[in-house]
Amino acid sequence: MAWGDPIQNLSGLSEFDPLDVVDIMARLIYSEARGESTEGKVGVRKVLDNRYDHPARDSEFGGDTYKEIMLKPYAFEGLTTISAREPDTNSTAWDDCVSVTLGTLSVPNPIGNCLWFVTNSYFNNNVIQSGGEEYWNFGAGNKKIVEKVIVDNQTFFRVEGY
């Protein structure tokens, strides 16, 4: 969740349907990482790229387009917040998010092939430690974490099988 904003209806994202992909992506990055460094904002963008490039993007991540992936219900909690619905488009953070969306910054991929991210505190409170390994439970059993990168206040990760 983004910075303590009140959660709206998690599945009600239809208000974003008329917006173009650049606007939605900038709102997503803004809601999830507006207070993070450029590297943190790029990390959120790269999660989208990684999901789009994943062979199971349609079945696992919501569709064949960036827009479908972003608007899949429950996929990105940040889109359910006030900050996504009413971003401060006069802020430097917004300008940075638009630049990250458009790819106009020369920042290398900071997260590798990670497909999910949460705040560090949420990760630390929910990761399952067992036998020196870390696991994540998406509700259908524990999955071994095979890639993890911490950028600013966010933990990016990928689980076995992805």
Side-chain angles (χ1 to χ4, degrees):
M1 189 167 101
W3 310 101
D5 288 334
I7 296 177
Q8 306 296 313
N9 178 349
L10 284 173
S11 62
L13 300 175
S14 60
E15 70 190 78
F16 295 111
D17 288 342
L19 303 179
D20 67 38
V21 68
V22 171
D23 192 1
I24 298 168
M25 191 178 295
R27 288 167 185 261
L28 173 62
I29 296 168
Y30 181 83
S31 68
E32 297 283 8
R34 70 182 173 275
E36 305 295 326
S37 67
T38 300
E39 186 179 45
K41 291 176 180 75
V42 170
V44 172
R45 166 61 196 262
K46 291 302 179 183
V47 164
L48 290 169
D49 292 343
N50 291 345
R51 288 184 181 190
Y52 180 82
D53 292 338
H54 197 276
R57 73 175 174 220
D58 189 37
S59 61
E60 293 286 329
F61 298 114
D64 288 325
T65 68
Y66 277 95
K67 190 171 183 176
E68 289 171 334
I69 291 166
M70 289 186 289
L71 296 181
K72 179 183 179 187
Y74 308 101
F76 294 101
E77 198 170 310
L79 284 178
T80 68
T81 64
I82 296 298
S83 63
R85 290 180 158 101
E86 300 173 10
D88 180 359
T89 57
N90 295 315
S91 68
T92 301
W94 175 257
D95 292 343
D96 292 346
C97 293
V98 170
S99 294
V100 167
T101 297
L102 296 173
T104 58
L105 304 174
S106 296
V107 178
N109 178 351
I111 64 152
N113 296 310
C114 293
L115 293 163
W116 293 275
F117 65 94
V118 293
T119 64
N120 295 339
S121 59
Y122 188 86
F123 183 88
N124 293 333
N125 289 332
N126 291 281
V127 68
I128 300 154
Q129 305 275 346
S130 178
E133 303 287 349
E134 293 181 316
Y135 296 85
W136 197 259
N137 190 320
F138 292 100
N142 297 341
K143 299 278 189 178
K144 181 180 175 183
I145 295 172
V146 296
E147 185 175 9
K148 178 176 95 172
V149 178
I150 297 171
V151 179
D152 300 329
N153 295 306
Q154 305 221 34
T155 302
F156 297 84
F157 63 99
R158 183 174 56 87
V159 297
E160 196 167 58
Y162 288 89

